[in-house]
Amino acid sequence: FEAEFSIGAILLKYGEIETARDHFEKSLAINPKYKSTQNILKNFELVNSASRSGLLNSNQQLVNYRSKTGLAFNFSPYWSIEENQEGIKLEADSEKFIVELKQDFKSKSVSAEAYIVASEEKYGQLINQGLAKLPNFKTAYVKVWNQNGIEKLQFFLFKDERVVNVLVFPSNSELMKEFDLLLGSILL
């Protein structure tokens, strides 16, 4: 299964979308429990449409996603993605790596700082917090949490009255490099 998966990944990187799909399907037939193969096949319509529109980045194999509410970002097609009323959840099952994105609104009269102070979400013990510098957002803020030894990062991204709340964990995962690409690509 690993050989078929690897061939599929190489073909995907070079834009051979349908041939890549065939190899991913062969990989899944050999090992139906491999989550990365399940995810890429579940996301294949996104991969295929991103490829046709030029949005599939061949160097990093990222797919451009636009939510029902207009939130756009790039993510790895090997991650699972689920959108519901509460927000968007991405997961890399092989690493137990989770990214949650939620949108909110604040009044023009409420500052970013006041919004953050009023935020009632807690993800363990607050370790650190401060301003963050991110593309596409004038104001961004990050909180670092520790919950039972798992470090979590919570980002607040502000654009006018819109707020994107991003939670990612564990923050010591090797997948944080891919998360940084996602975080830097977020658009409202």
Side-chain angles (χ1 to χ4, degrees):
F1 86 93
E2 289 177 349
E4 292 292 347
F5 182 86
S6 296
I7 291 168
I10 290 167
L11 289 166
L12 181 64
K13 183 175 180 178
Y14 288 102
E16 299 292 331
I17 305 298
E18 288 307 316
T19 309
R21 179 185 209 146
D22 293 341
H23 286 278
F24 288 127
E25 287 173 348
K26 288 176 185 175
S27 175
L28 189 63
I30 296 166
N31 184 355
K33 293 183 180 183
Y34 191 57
K35 292 290 188 181
S36 291
T37 307
Q38 292 174 6
N39 292 340
I40 190 78
L41 289 170
K42 283 181 190 172
N43 295 330
F44 216 82
E45 193 54 43
L46 291 171
V47 171
N48 203 10
S49 64
S51 175
R52 283 193 311 269
S53 64
L55 297 174
L56 183 65
N57 179 323
S58 64
N59 292 330
Q60 297 156 334
Q61 296 183 5
L62 300 176
V63 174
N64 184 278
Y65 183 79
R66 181 167 297 277
S67 74
K68 296 170 186 158
T69 59
L71 178 67
F73 55 89
N74 296 327
F75 76 99
S76 169
Y78 301 103
W79 295 5
S80 65
I81 184 167
E82 179 184 328
E83 183 173 355
N84 59 38
Q85 292 175 313
E86 295 175 19
I88 300 167
K89 182 178 180 180
L90 297 125
E91 188 170 354
D93 294 322
S94 60
E95 296 285 327
K96 301 294 184 222
F97 185 75
I98 297 172
V99 179
E100 296 175 352
L101 298 102
K102 298 177 185 173
Q103 287 190 76
D104 196 10
F105 294 90
K106 69 171 190 64
S107 168
K108 278 188 176 184
S109 63
V110 175
S111 69
E113 292 79 14
Y115 178 90
I116 292 164
V117 168
S119 173
E120 296 181 4
E121 296 174 312
K122 298 200 182 321
Y123 299 102
Q125 179 184 1
L126 183 63
I127 297 172
N128 203 349
Q129 59 185 326
L131 291 173
K133 190 165 182 91
L134 295 172
N136 309 320
F137 294 92
K138 270 188 187 177
T139 306
Y141 197 84
V142 63
K143 289 184 176 183
V144 182
W145 300 93
N146 186 306
Q147 185 175 44
N148 301 321
I150 297 172
E151 198 167 282
K152 300 180 178 189
L153 302 179
Q154 180 184 26
F155 293 88
F156 298 87
L157 314 176
F158 296 90
K159 185 164 189 171
D160 302 322
E161 292 85 38
R162 294 175 76 182
V163 183
V164 179
N165 185 331
V166 182
L167 180 69
V168 59
F169 60 93
S171 66
N172 64 347
S173 170
E174 290 182 17
L175 294 174
M176 283 301 291
K177 291 177 185 175
E178 289 183 45
F179 168 74
D180 288 344
L181 295 171
L182 181 154
L183 188 64
S185 72
I186 294 175
L187 296 172
L188 285 174

